[in-house]
Structure formats: structure tokens, C-alpha cells
Amino acid sequence: MENFLQIDRAEILKRFIPIATSAHKGVQGHALIIGGSYGKTGAVCLASKACLKSGAGLVTAYVPKCSYGIVQTAVPEVMVITDDYMEHIVSIHFDLSLQAIGIGIGMGQHPDTQHAFFNFVKANKTALVIDADGLNILSRNKEWLSLLPENTIITPHAKELERLIGTWDSKEDMIKKATLFSKEFKLIVVAKGAPTYTIDKDMVYENTTGNQALATAGSGDVLTGIITGLAAQGYKLTDAAILGVYLHGAAADIALPETGHHSFIASDCIAYLGKAFLSLENIQ
Ligand SMILES: NC(=O)C1=CN([C@@H]2O[C@H](COP(=O)(O)OP(=O)(O)OC[C@H]3O[C@@H](n4cnc5c(N)ncnc54)[C@H](O)[C@@H]3O)[C@@H](O)[C@H]2O)[C@@H](O)CC1
Ligand SMILES: Nc1ncnc2c1ncn2[C@@H]1O[C@H](COP(=O)(O)OP(=O)(O)O)[C@@H](O)[C@H]1O
Ligand SMILES: [Mg+2]
């Protein structure tokens, strides 16, 4: 039987950790964002920037060669390392000390990328957030799910979730199936939608922020970056997911009087993240 908890500001304040006055970038966590392919480097730019804007001390992007100049130009604060191949990722190798990795956004599903993803998950022990094509690759290779570290966070939208767990006939049925899936593979499932449910075994956390302005390209990529950034800072992975979803929605709610529903874009979600954090800190 699932236990439900509505996540409002009071619940978030129980989990939110302000940054220490003595902090420096070396203690704020180093996150790696792996993704991108020809024509979809923007997803990595959005996720990497959101990751930094969530408080991670260092962010590196791992991208195919064609994405190098784009990420360096779009987000100069982010370090970039590249795959050997030009248009998509064919192998994933790096020598970094990391606290969290976000993988899958804009990555595509080329057979070579699937192979690289398999070798990566087989060897990886770092806290992991998987989105988009990382999830699509897992849907095609469900036997790889058992290779993921315990409490890996997956962030599917409805279509991606359906590819993983099959169809459902009601919200209750979706939650039941996602709960079974979370328990079977020991994963934290962020079932994105309106509202988003974070499902961690028998616990179901219903988010209370966000609005239809988020129905725009790249808003999920931003969420992946936020959650990865929080995980890199050492939040318990369930809390990173819950807090990330809340802040992502809060940024969209705070932006609304300025942008309206129509003109809000994913970059606005990143731009308003600061005000979302401030709404927790009571700093004017
Ligand atoms: N600027 C960029 O580089 C962008 C890259 N993106 C990347 O593009 C790739 C494809 O992602 P997509 O999500 O478009 O492809 P998908 O094929 O996974 O999902 C889109 C399909 O799912 C359907 N759908 C049904 N319910 C939905 C729901 N609740 N939310 C979202 N879609 C729902 C849509 O109608 C559409 O047919 C990913 O790698 C993603 O990261 C996108 O994030 C968009 C922005
Ligand atoms: N109508 C809505 N109300 C609230 N949140 C929404 C709405 N539509 C989309 N979102 C949110 O926007 C994000 C969309 O993610 P996703 O579909 O992966 O986008 P993309 O792949 O383009 O980055 C999710 O966090 C989802 O919950
Ligand atoms: Mg997405």
C-alpha cells in the first residue's frame, strides 16, 4: 500500500540545506552531465546551466565533439570534455572525482551510444540521474536496469514512463505500476506531469508547484540539471528529487506574472531559479 505525502513549502523546509558561509566550490560537489548529439546540444547547455544554478560547485559536460564550442560558448562556467566521435557519443570515459552524474538528455539512441551507455552503467558507482534517451535506451534493454546503483533517480515524462512500465488506465494504476517498478529495481521514479509524483518504493510524494508554462521544449532537461546539482551537493537522493521538482515548479510559478504561460521558455525556468531558492531562504 502506497503512502502519500503532499510536498509544500513546509515539507521542503524540512529538507532544504542553506549553503554554509565557509563553503567553497570544492565542497559544493562536482557534477557531470553526459548527453548531446548533432542538433541536440541545447539540452546539455540547459541541464548544465541549471545544475550550476542549483548550487553545484563544479559542472563538467561530456558531449560529442560537435557540441564542444556550443557548450563552451553558451555556458562558459561549465567545463567540457568530449567523446572521440563527432556527432554522437560512442564511448564514455573520464578521469574525474564526481559526486553526481546526469545522463541521457539530447543523447540519441544510436547503437554505438547504446553500447557506450551499457559500458558506463556497468562500471559506474556514482549517484546517477537518468533522463530522456538514457531512459529510452533502458526501455529497449530492460535487463540493464539491474545494473543501476541503488536509488538511481529516473525522470521520465509520461511517454518515457510508458516505455518502461507499460500502459496504465488511471492515475492510481500508474502509481501502482511505478511503485512496483521502483521496488523491483530499487529506483526513485520522478513521474513528470501535472502534477509530478516522486515515487520511492512505497512512498509517493505529490508536488504542489508548477504550471502549464512548463509545457515547453527543454523544461525537463532543466529539471535533470537541477536534481543532479542537488545530488552533487550531498542531498539524500530522494530529497534531491523532491526538492528539485519543487524548485523547478516554483521557478515557473514565480516567472508567470512576467512571462505568462505562452512566452515562458526553459531558459526562463533557469533564470527564475534564484527567486525559487530565495522563496525558501527568506533573503530579500
Ligand atoms: N534543445 C534541445 O536540445 C532539446 C532536446 N530534447 C531532447 O530530445 C530528445 C527527444 O525527447 P522527446 O521528449 O521530445 O521525445 P519522446 O519521443 O520521448 O517524447 C515525445 C513524445 O511523447 C509524447 N508525450 C505523451 N505524453 C507526454 C508527456 N506527458 N510529456 C511529454 N511528452 C509526452 C509527445 O506527444 C511526443 O509524441 C531527448 O534526448 C531530449 O533530451 C528535448 O528535451 C527538447 C529540447
Ligand atoms: N501542464 C503542465 N503543468 C505542470 N508541469 C508541466 C506541465 N507540462 C509539462 N510540465 C513539466 O515540464 C517538464 C517537461 O519535461 P519533458 O517532457 O522531459 O521536457 P523536455 O524533454 O522537452 O525537456 C516536466 O517536469 C513536467 O512535469
Ligand atoms: Mg525530456
mmCIF file of all heavy atoms in Angstrom, residues 57-108:
data_model
loop_
_atom_site.group_PDB
_atom_site.id
_atom_site.type_symbol
_atom_site.label_atom_id
_atom_site.label_comp_id
_atom_site.label_asym_id
_atom_site.label_seq_id
_atom_site.Cartn_x
_atom_site.Cartn_y
_atom_site.Cartn_z
ATOM 1 N N GLY A 57 29.205 23.045 -7.126
ATOM 2 C CA GLY A 57 30.443 23.836 -7.158
ATOM 3 C C GLY A 57 31.119 23.812 -8.508
ATOM 4 O O GLY A 57 31.653 24.816 -8.982
ATOM 5 N N LEU A 58 31.109 22.641 -9.135
ATOM 6 C CA LEU A 58 31.749 22.444 -10.439
ATOM 7 C C LEU A 58 30.819 21.610 -11.311
ATOM 8 O O LEU A 58 30.222 20.644 -10.815
ATOM 9 C CB LEU A 58 33.075 21.685 -10.286
ATOM 10 C CG LEU A 58 34.192 22.341 -9.463
ATOM 11 C CD1 LEU A 58 35.260 21.295 -9.112
ATOM 12 C CD2 LEU A 58 34.829 23.491 -10.247
ATOM 13 N N VAL A 59 30.723 21.974 -12.566
ATOM 14 C CA VAL A 59 29.949 21.155 -13.502
ATOM 15 C C VAL A 59 30.789 20.918 -14.762
ATOM 16 O O VAL A 59 31.361 21.855 -15.319
ATOM 17 C CB VAL A 59 28.609 21.825 -13.888
ATOM 18 C CG1 VAL A 59 27.865 20.982 -14.926
ATOM 19 C CG2 VAL A 59 27.725 22.029 -12.652
ATOM 20 N N THR A 60 30.862 19.654 -15.158
ATOM 21 C CA THR A 60 31.516 19.293 -16.423
ATOM 22 C C THR A 60 30.471 18.661 -17.325
ATOM 23 O O THR A 60 29.596 17.926 -16.849
ATOM 24 C CB THR A 60 32.672 18.296 -16.174
ATOM 25 O OG1 THR A 60 33.644 18.906 -15.312
ATOM 26 C CG2 THR A 60 33.354 17.892 -17.472
ATOM 27 N N ALA A 61 30.539 18.970 -18.617
ATOM 28 C CA ALA A 61 29.655 18.322 -19.600
ATOM 29 C C ALA A 61 30.481 17.336 -20.421
ATOM 30 O O ALA A 61 31.609 17.653 -20.821
ATOM 31 C CB ALA A 61 29.028 19.366 -20.505
ATOM 32 N N TYR A 62 29.916 16.147 -20.658
ATOM 33 C CA TYR A 62 30.551 15.144 -21.526
ATOM 34 C C TYR A 62 29.697 15.041 -22.779
ATOM 35 O O TYR A 62 28.538 14.607 -22.727
ATOM 36 C CB TYR A 62 30.623 13.788 -20.818
ATOM 37 C CG TYR A 62 31.457 12.788 -21.574
ATOM 38 C CD1 TYR A 62 32.771 12.538 -21.207
ATOM 39 C CD2 TYR A 62 30.951 12.105 -22.683
ATOM 40 C CE1 TYR A 62 33.563 11.636 -21.909
ATOM 41 C CE2 TYR A 62 31.729 11.211 -23.394
ATOM 42 C CZ TYR A 62 33.029 10.983 -22.997
ATOM 43 O OH TYR A 62 33.814 10.092 -23.708
ATOM 44 N N VAL A 63 30.257 15.469 -23.906
ATOM 45 C CA VAL A 63 29.464 15.621 -25.135
ATOM 46 C C VAL A 63 30.249 15.112 -26.346
ATOM 47 O O VAL A 63 31.478 14.987 -26.284
ATOM 48 C CB VAL A 63 29.119 17.119 -25.362
ATOM 49 C CG1 VAL A 63 28.111 17.616 -24.338
ATOM 50 C CG2 VAL A 63 30.382 17.993 -25.336
ATOM 51 N N PRO A 64 29.564 14.867 -27.477
ATOM 52 C CA PRO A 64 30.311 14.563 -28.700
ATOM 53 C C PRO A 64 31.081 15.805 -29.168
ATOM 54 O O PRO A 64 30.764 16.922 -28.754
ATOM 55 C CB PRO A 64 29.221 14.173 -29.710
ATOM 56 C CG PRO A 64 27.952 14.684 -29.153
ATOM 57 C CD PRO A 64 28.108 14.791 -27.678
ATOM 58 N N LYS A 65 32.045 15.594 -30.049
ATOM 59 C CA LYS A 65 32.926 16.700 -30.456
ATOM 60 C C LYS A 65 32.160 17.897 -31.024
ATOM 61 O O LYS A 65 32.507 19.042 -30.774
ATOM 62 C CB LYS A 65 33.911 16.193 -31.525
ATOM 63 C CG LYS A 65 35.198 15.604 -30.970
ATOM 64 C CD LYS A 65 36.246 15.576 -32.093
ATOM 65 C CE LYS A 65 37.647 15.351 -31.578
ATOM 66 N NZ LYS A 65 37.833 14.147 -30.796
ATOM 67 N N CYS A 66 31.069 17.642 -31.761
ATOM 68 C CA CYS A 66 30.344 18.742 -32.412
ATOM 69 C C CYS A 66 29.727 19.698 -31.391
ATOM 70 O O CYS A 66 29.381 20.829 -31.728
ATOM 71 C CB CYS A 66 29.262 18.209 -33.355
ATOM 72 S SG CYS A 66 27.886 17.393 -32.519
ATOM 73 N N SER A 67 29.597 19.261 -30.152
ATOM 74 C CA SER A 67 28.940 20.083 -29.126
ATOM 75 C C SER A 67 29.918 20.976 -28.370
ATOM 76 O O SER A 67 29.488 21.859 -27.605
ATOM 77 C CB SER A 67 28.228 19.182 -28.110
ATOM 78 O OG SER A 67 27.353 18.292 -28.741
ATOM 79 N N TYR A 68 31.222 20.758 -28.593
ATOM 80 C CA TYR A 68 32.234 21.403 -27.753
ATOM 81 C C TYR A 68 32.080 22.934 -27.707
ATOM 82 O O TYR A 68 31.871 23.521 -26.649
ATOM 83 C CB TYR A 68 33.637 21.012 -28.232
ATOM 84 C CG TYR A 68 34.737 21.642 -27.407
ATOM 85 C CD1 TYR A 68 35.027 21.171 -26.129
ATOM 86 C CD2 TYR A 68 35.459 22.734 -27.898
ATOM 87 C CE1 TYR A 68 36.017 21.751 -25.366
ATOM 88 C CE2 TYR A 68 36.452 23.318 -27.133
ATOM 89 C CZ TYR A 68 36.729 22.821 -25.868
ATOM 90 O OH TYR A 68 37.703 23.409 -25.107
ATOM 91 N N GLY A 69 32.185 23.550 -28.878
ATOM 92 C CA GLY A 69 32.148 25.025 -28.936
ATOM 93 C C GLY A 69 30.809 25.579 -28.470
ATOM 94 O O GLY A 69 30.753 26.676 -27.907
ATOM 95 N N ILE A 70 29.763 24.823 -28.709
ATOM 96 C CA ILE A 70 28.411 25.298 -28.352
ATOM 97 C C ILE A 70 28.287 25.415 -26.828
ATOM 98 O O ILE A 70 27.857 26.441 -26.300
ATOM 99 C CB ILE A 70 27.336 24.335 -28.907
ATOM 100 C CG1 ILE A 70 27.476 24.205 -30.423
ATOM 101 C CG2 ILE A 70 25.938 24.810 -28.521
ATOM 102 C CD1 ILE A 70 26.653 23.070 -31.025
ATOM 103 N N VAL A 71 28.687 24.365 -26.118
ATOM 104 C CA VAL A 71 28.546 24.401 -24.649
ATOM 105 C C VAL A 71 29.499 25.448 -24.060
ATOM 106 O O VAL A 71 29.096 26.231 -23.189
ATOM 107 C CB VAL A 71 28.800 23.008 -24.019
ATOM 108 C CG1 VAL A 71 28.592 23.070 -22.501
ATOM 109 C CG2 VAL A 71 27.887 21.954 -24.624
ATOM 110 N N GLN A 72 30.740 25.482 -24.573
ATOM 111 C CA GLN A 72 31.711 26.450 -24.034
ATOM 112 C C GLN A 72 31.233 27.885 -24.232
ATOM 113 O O GLN A 72 31.488 28.754 -23.409
ATOM 114 C CB GLN A 72 33.078 26.268 -24.714
ATOM 115 C CG GLN A 72 33.772 24.986 -24.321
ATOM 116 C CD GLN A 72 34.680 25.142 -23.116
ATOM 117 O OE1 GLN A 72 35.876 25.315 -23.255
ATOM 118 N NE2 GLN A 72 34.119 25.096 -21.941
ATOM 119 N N THR A 73 30.539 28.139 -25.325
ATOM 120 C CA THR A 73 30.056 29.493 -25.615
ATOM 121 C C THR A 73 28.774 29.801 -24.845
ATOM 122 O O THR A 73 28.633 30.887 -24.276
ATOM 123 C CB THR A 73 29.789 29.632 -27.132
ATOM 124 O OG1 THR A 73 30.943 29.175 -27.830
ATOM 125 C CG2 THR A 73 29.497 31.074 -27.507
ATOM 126 N N ALA A 74 27.867 28.837 -24.819
ATOM 127 C CA ALA A 74 26.563 29.087 -24.188
ATOM 128 C C ALA A 74 26.669 29.178 -22.668
ATOM 129 O O ALA A 74 25.950 29.964 -22.045
ATOM 130 C CB ALA A 74 25.569 27.990 -24.575
ATOM 131 N N VAL A 75 27.556 28.364 -22.093
ATOM 132 C CA VAL A 75 27.670 28.342 -20.618
ATOM 133 C C VAL A 75 29.156 28.308 -20.245
ATOM 134 O O VAL A 75 29.708 27.241 -19.954
ATOM 135 C CB VAL A 75 26.958 27.113 -19.995
ATOM 136 C CG1 VAL A 75 26.600 27.392 -18.529
ATOM 137 C CG2 VAL A 75 25.727 26.689 -20.762
ATOM 138 N N PRO A 76 29.833 29.468 -20.235
ATOM 139 C CA PRO A 76 31.286 29.462 -20.017
ATOM 140 C C PRO A 76 31.709 28.933 -18.658
ATOM 141 O O PRO A 76 32.853 28.507 -18.491
ATOM 142 C CB PRO A 76 31.683 30.935 -20.177
ATOM 143 C CG PRO A 76 30.428 31.715 -20.156
ATOM 144 C CD PRO A 76 29.324 30.809 -20.540
ATOM 145 N N GLU A 77 30.808 28.918 -17.696
ATOM 146 C CA GLU A 77 31.161 28.409 -16.354
ATOM 147 C C GLU A 77 31.315 26.893 -16.341
ATOM 148 O O GLU A 77 31.887 26.327 -15.402
ATOM 149 C CB GLU A 77 30.069 28.795 -15.338
ATOM 150 C CG GLU A 77 29.888 30.299 -15.118
ATOM 151 C CD GLU A 77 28.927 30.944 -16.109
ATOM 152 O OE1 GLU A 77 28.554 30.275 -17.113
ATOM 153 O OE2 GLU A 77 28.542 32.102 -15.903
ATOM 154 N N VAL A 78 30.794 26.228 -17.364
ATOM 155 C CA VAL A 78 30.821 24.759 -17.409
ATOM 156 C C VAL A 78 32.080 24.274 -18.133
ATOM 157 O O VAL A 78 32.438 24.804 -19.176
ATOM 158 C CB VAL A 78 29.550 24.238 -18.132
ATOM 159 C CG1 VAL A 78 29.655 22.755 -18.460
ATOM 160 C CG2 VAL A 78 28.328 24.499 -17.271
ATOM 161 N N MET A 79 32.762 23.271 -17.547
ATOM 162 C CA MET A 79 33.908 22.647 -18.229
ATOM 163 C C MET A 79 33.372 21.592 -19.193
ATOM 164 O O MET A 79 32.287 21.049 -18.986
ATOM 165 C CB MET A 79 34.831 22.006 -17.192
ATOM 166 C CG MET A 79 35.425 23.034 -16.235
ATOM 167 S SD MET A 79 36.344 22.286 -14.892
ATOM 168 C CE MET A 79 35.030 21.807 -13.792
ATOM 169 N N VAL A 80 34.127 21.317 -20.242
ATOM 170 C CA VAL A 80 33.637 20.386 -21.259
ATOM 171 C C VAL A 80 34.712 19.361 -21.600
ATOM 172 O O VAL A 80 35.867 19.731 -21.817
ATOM 173 C CB VAL A 80 33.234 21.140 -22.555
ATOM 174 C CG1 VAL A 80 32.626 20.160 -23.567
ATOM 175 C CG2 VAL A 80 32.240 22.253 -22.259
ATOM 176 N N ILE A 81 34.330 18.093 -21.621
ATOM 177 C CA ILE A 81 35.201 17.078 -22.194
ATOM 178 C C ILE A 81 34.428 16.377 -23.301
ATOM 179 O O ILE A 81 33.199 16.293 -23.253
ATOM 180 C CB ILE A 81 35.734 16.066 -21.151
ATOM 181 C CG1 ILE A 81 34.624 15.516 -20.267
ATOM 182 C CG2 ILE A 81 36.834 16.675 -20.298
ATOM 183 C CD1 ILE A 81 35.124 14.522 -19.230
ATOM 184 N N THR A 82 35.147 15.911 -24.316
ATOM 185 C CA THR A 82 34.431 15.387 -25.479
ATOM 186 C C THR A 82 34.760 13.928 -25.745
ATOM 187 O O THR A 82 35.835 13.433 -25.446
ATOM 188 C CB THR A 82 34.753 16.194 -26.768
ATOM 189 O OG1 THR A 82 36.139 16.065 -27.045
ATOM 190 C CG2 THR A 82 34.370 17.651 -26.623
ATOM 191 N N ASP A 83 33.777 13.310 -26.350
ATOM 192 C CA ASP A 83 33.908 11.972 -26.902
ATOM 193 C C ASP A 83 34.882 12.052 -28.089
ATOM 194 O O ASP A 83 35.173 13.130 -28.591
ATOM 195 C CB ASP A 83 32.508 11.571 -27.397
ATOM 196 C CG ASP A 83 32.397 10.111 -27.729
ATOM 197 O OD1 ASP A 83 32.669 9.734 -28.885
ATOM 198 O OD2 ASP A 83 32.030 9.346 -26.839
ATOM 199 N N ASP A 84 35.353 10.899 -28.564
ATOM 200 C CA ASP A 84 36.249 10.887 -29.725
ATOM 201 C C ASP A 84 35.480 11.130 -31.025
ATOM 202 O O ASP A 84 36.065 11.485 -32.036
ATOM 203 C CB ASP A 84 36.971 9.523 -29.834
ATOM 204 C CG ASP A 84 37.825 9.271 -28.603
ATOM 205 O OD1 ASP A 84 38.273 10.267 -27.999
ATOM 206 O OD2 ASP A 84 38.013 8.091 -28.242
ATOM 207 N N TYR A 85 34.179 10.914 -31.005
ATOM 208 C CA TYR A 85 33.380 10.955 -32.234
ATOM 209 C C TYR A 85 32.688 12.308 -32.374
ATOM 210 O O TYR A 85 32.453 13.013 -31.394
ATOM 211 C CB TYR A 85 32.344 9.817 -32.204
ATOM 212 C CG TYR A 85 31.718 9.537 -33.541
ATOM 213 C CD1 TYR A 85 32.442 8.914 -34.551
ATOM 214 C CD2 TYR A 85 30.402 9.913 -33.799
ATOM 215 C CE1 TYR A 85 31.863 8.669 -35.791
ATOM 216 C CE2 TYR A 85 29.814 9.666 -35.029
ATOM 217 C CZ TYR A 85 30.555 9.043 -36.026
ATOM 218 O OH TYR A 85 29.979 8.807 -37.246
ATOM 219 N N MET A 86 32.344 12.661 -33.592
ATOM 220 C CA MET A 86 31.825 13.996 -33.887
ATOM 221 C C MET A 86 30.359 14.191 -33.492
ATOM 222 O O MET A 86 30.017 15.132 -32.794
ATOM 223 C CB MET A 86 32.003 14.269 -35.384
ATOM 224 C CG MET A 86 31.889 15.716 -35.753
ATOM 225 S SD MET A 86 33.006 16.729 -34.788
ATOM 226 C CE MET A 86 33.558 17.866 -35.938
ATOM 227 N N GLU A 87 29.472 13.299 -33.967
ATOM 228 C CA GLU A 87 28.037 13.631 -33.956
ATOM 229 C C GLU A 87 27.223 13.007 -32.829
ATOM 230 O O GLU A 87 26.107 13.436 -32.572
ATOM 231 C CB GLU A 87 27.418 13.245 -35.305
ATOM 232 C CG GLU A 87 28.085 13.999 -36.451
ATOM 233 C CD GLU A 87 27.243 14.064 -37.694
ATOM 234 O OE1 GLU A 87 26.307 13.249 -37.808
ATOM 235 O OE2 GLU A 87 27.523 14.932 -38.542
ATOM 236 N N HIS A 88 27.737 11.964 -32.207
ATOM 237 C CA HIS A 88 27.054 11.399 -31.042
ATOM 238 C C HIS A 88 28.075 10.685 -30.169
ATOM 239 O O HIS A 88 29.221 10.497 -30.572
ATOM 240 C CB HIS A 88 25.911 10.452 -31.465
ATOM 241 C CG HIS A 88 26.348 9.357 -32.385
ATOM 242 N ND1 HIS A 88 26.173 9.405 -33.752
ATOM 243 C CD2 HIS A 88 26.989 8.201 -32.137
ATOM 244 C CE1 HIS A 88 26.675 8.324 -34.294
ATOM 245 N NE2 HIS A 88 27.183 7.570 -33.331
ATOM 246 N N ILE A 89 27.643 10.296 -29.003
ATOM 247 C CA ILE A 89 28.558 9.655 -28.055
ATOM 248 C C ILE A 89 28.766 8.191 -28.445
ATOM 249 O O ILE A 89 27.788 7.466 -28.680
ATOM 250 C CB ILE A 89 27.995 9.793 -26.618
ATOM 251 C CG1 ILE A 89 28.117 11.258 -26.163
ATOM 252 C CG2 ILE A 89 28.704 8.852 -25.651
ATOM 253 C CD1 ILE A 89 27.434 11.562 -24.846
ATOM 254 N N VAL A 90 30.034 7.776 -28.529
ATOM 255 C CA VAL A 90 30.323 6.366 -28.853
ATOM 256 C C VAL A 90 31.078 5.655 -27.727
ATOM 257 O O VAL A 90 31.177 4.428 -27.721
ATOM 258 C CB VAL A 90 31.104 6.207 -30.184
ATOM 259 C CG1 VAL A 90 30.332 6.817 -31.340
ATOM 260 C CG2 VAL A 90 32.499 6.814 -30.106
ATOM 261 N N SER A 91 31.638 6.427 -26.789
ATOM 262 C CA SER A 91 32.260 5.808 -25.610
ATOM 263 C C SER A 91 32.265 6.843 -24.500
ATOM 264 O O SER A 91 32.312 8.050 -24.778
ATOM 265 C CB SER A 91 33.683 5.340 -25.910
ATOM 266 O OG SER A 91 34.505 6.466 -26.136
ATOM 267 N N ILE A 92 32.184 6.377 -23.259
ATOM 268 C CA ILE A 92 32.125 7.327 -22.132
ATOM 269 C C ILE A 92 33.294 7.026 -21.214
ATOM 270 O O ILE A 92 33.315 5.986 -20.549
ATOM 271 C CB ILE A 92 30.775 7.200 -21.387
ATOM 272 C CG1 ILE A 92 29.609 7.516 -22.348
ATOM 273 C CG2 ILE A 92 30.737 8.152 -20.181
ATOM 274 C CD1 ILE A 92 28.235 7.213 -21.789
ATOM 275 N N HIS A 93 34.300 7.885 -21.253
ATOM 276 C CA HIS A 93 35.463 7.680 -20.384
ATOM 277 C C HIS A 93 35.955 9.032 -19.888
ATOM 278 O O HIS A 93 36.031 10.000 -20.642
ATOM 279 C CB HIS A 93 36.578 6.929 -21.131
ATOM 280 C CG HIS A 93 36.900 7.528 -22.468
ATOM 281 N ND1 HIS A 93 37.767 8.577 -22.627
ATOM 282 C CD2 HIS A 93 36.427 7.238 -23.697
ATOM 283 C CE1 HIS A 93 37.826 8.904 -23.894
ATOM 284 N NE2 HIS A 93 37.020 8.119 -24.569
ATOM 285 N N PHE A 94 36.247 9.094 -18.599
ATOM 286 C CA PHE A 94 36.710 10.353 -17.991
ATOM 287 C C PHE A 94 37.450 9.996 -16.724
ATOM 288 O O PHE A 94 37.275 8.908 -16.171
ATOM 289 C CB PHE A 94 35.517 11.276 -17.686
ATOM 290 C CG PHE A 94 34.396 10.596 -16.958
ATOM 291 C CD1 PHE A 94 34.429 10.420 -15.576
ATOM 292 C CD2 PHE A 94 33.309 10.087 -17.663
ATOM 293 C CE1 PHE A 94 33.405 9.766 -14.910
ATOM 294 C CE2 PHE A 94 32.276 9.427 -17.001
ATOM 295 C CZ PHE A 94 32.326 9.273 -15.619
ATOM 296 N N ASP A 95 38.283 10.930 -16.291
ATOM 297 C CA ASP A 95 39.036 10.705 -15.059
ATOM 298 C C ASP A 95 38.734 11.885 -14.130
ATOM 299 O O ASP A 95 39.479 12.853 -14.073
ATOM 300 C CB ASP A 95 40.533 10.606 -15.398
ATOM 301 C CG ASP A 95 41.359 10.293 -14.164
ATOM 302 O OD1 ASP A 95 40.773 9.859 -13.157
ATOM 303 O OD2 ASP A 95 42.588 10.508 -14.209
ATOM 304 N N LEU A 96 37.603 11.810 -13.453
ATOM 305 C CA LEU A 96 37.139 12.907 -12.606
ATOM 306 C C LEU A 96 36.652 12.331 -11.289
ATOM 307 O O LEU A 96 36.134 11.212 -11.254
ATOM 308 C CB LEU A 96 35.961 13.643 -13.275
ATOM 309 C CG LEU A 96 36.199 14.331 -14.615
ATOM 310 C CD1 LEU A 96 34.873 14.772 -15.210
ATOM 311 C CD2 LEU A 96 37.132 15.524 -14.447
ATOM 312 N N SER A 97 36.768 13.122 -10.229
ATOM 313 C CA SER A 97 36.181 12.730 -8.953
ATOM 314 C C SER A 97 34.831 13.451 -8.841
ATOM 315 O O SER A 97 34.785 14.675 -8.746
ATOM 316 C CB SER A 97 37.138 13.142 -7.831
ATOM 317 O OG SER A 97 36.495 12.964 -6.605
ATOM 318 N N LEU A 98 33.760 12.673 -8.913
ATOM 319 C CA LEU A 98 32.422 13.254 -9.055
ATOM 320 C C LEU A 98 31.515 12.870 -7.897
ATOM 321 O O LEU A 98 31.653 11.786 -7.327
ATOM 322 C CB LEU A 98 31.782 12.750 -10.351
ATOM 323 C CG LEU A 98 32.511 13.096 -11.645
ATOM 324 C CD1 LEU A 98 31.995 12.226 -12.783
ATOM 325 C CD2 LEU A 98 32.326 14.572 -11.979
ATOM 326 N N GLN A 99 30.527 13.736 -7.608
ATOM 327 C CA GLN A 99 29.516 13.398 -6.594
ATOM 328 C C GLN A 99 28.186 12.997 -7.237
ATOM 329 O O GLN A 99 27.345 12.365 -6.595
ATOM 330 C CB GLN A 99 29.304 14.581 -5.636
ATOM 331 C CG GLN A 99 30.407 14.731 -4.593
ATOM 332 C CD GLN A 99 31.756 15.078 -5.200
ATOM 333 O OE1 GLN A 99 31.877 16.040 -5.932
ATOM 334 N NE2 GLN A 99 32.763 14.278 -4.911
ATOM 335 N N ALA A 100 27.946 13.401 -8.494
ATOM 336 C CA ALA A 100 26.695 13.002 -9.162
ATOM 337 C C ALA A 100 26.859 13.104 -10.672
ATOM 338 O O ALA A 100 27.639 13.926 -11.166
ATOM 339 C CB ALA A 100 25.534 13.883 -8.707
ATOM 340 N N ILE A 101 26.100 12.268 -11.375
ATOM 341 C CA ILE A 101 26.115 12.275 -12.845
ATOM 342 C C ILE A 101 24.672 12.301 -13.343
ATOM 343 O O ILE A 101 23.821 11.549 -12.858
ATOM 344 C CB ILE A 101 26.819 11.008 -13.404
ATOM 345 C CG1 ILE A 101 28.279 10.952 -12.932
ATOM 346 C CG2 ILE A 101 26.757 10.992 -14.931
ATOM 347 C CD1 ILE A 101 29.014 9.680 -13.340
ATOM 348 N N GLY A 102 24.401 13.188 -14.303
ATOM 349 C CA GLY A 102 23.113 13.203 -15.004
ATOM 350 C C GLY A 102 23.362 12.762 -16.432
ATOM 351 O O GLY A 102 24.272 13.276 -17.089
ATOM 352 N N ILE A 103 22.587 11.806 -16.922
ATOM 353 C CA ILE A 103 22.879 11.253 -18.260
ATOM 354 C C ILE A 103 21.612 11.086 -19.095
ATOM 355 O O ILE A 103 20.544 10.796 -18.542
ATOM 356 C CB ILE A 103 23.638 9.897 -18.142
ATOM 357 C CG1 ILE A 103 24.104 9.398 -19.521
ATOM 358 C CG2 ILE A 103 22.817 8.834 -17.440
ATOM 359 C CD1 ILE A 103 25.126 8.256 -19.457
ATOM 360 N N GLY A 104 21.726 11.315 -20.388
ATOM 361 C CA GLY A 104 20.652 10.939 -21.322
ATOM 362 C C GLY A 104 20.074 12.056 -22.156
ATOM 363 O O GLY A 104 19.555 11.811 -23.252
ATOM 364 N N ILE A 105 20.157 13.305 -21.663
ATOM 365 C CA ILE A 105 19.451 14.377 -22.375
ATOM 366 C C ILE A 105 20.104 14.657 -23.737
ATOM 367 O O ILE A 105 21.316 14.779 -23.838
ATOM 368 C CB ILE A 105 19.392 15.696 -21.557
ATOM 369 C CG1 ILE A 105 20.739 16.274 -21.285
ATOM 370 C CG2 ILE A 105 18.569 15.563 -20.328
ATOM 371 C CD1 ILE A 105 21.348 15.952 -19.978
ATOM 372 N N GLY A 106 19.268 14.696 -24.760
ATOM 373 C CA GLY A 106 19.729 15.008 -26.114
ATOM 374 C C GLY A 106 20.725 14.010 -26.673
ATOM 375 O O GLY A 106 21.399 14.277 -27.677
ATOM 376 N N MET A 107 20.842 12.839 -26.058
ATOM 377 C CA MET A 107 21.940 11.909 -26.360
ATOM 378 C C MET A 107 21.669 11.063 -27.604
ATOM 379 O O MET A 107 22.594 10.585 -28.250
ATOM 380 C CB MET A 107 22.167 10.999 -25.137
ATOM 381 C CG MET A 107 23.441 10.205 -25.162
ATOM 382 S SD MET A 107 23.822 9.471 -23.550
ATOM 383 C CE MET A 107 22.597 8.168 -23.439
ATOM 384 N N GLY A 108 20.392 10.881 -27.984
ATOM 385 C CA GLY A 108 20.066 9.990 -29.093
ATOM 386 C C GLY A 108 20.213 8.528 -28.682
ATOM 387 O O GLY A 108 20.649 8.228 -27.563
#
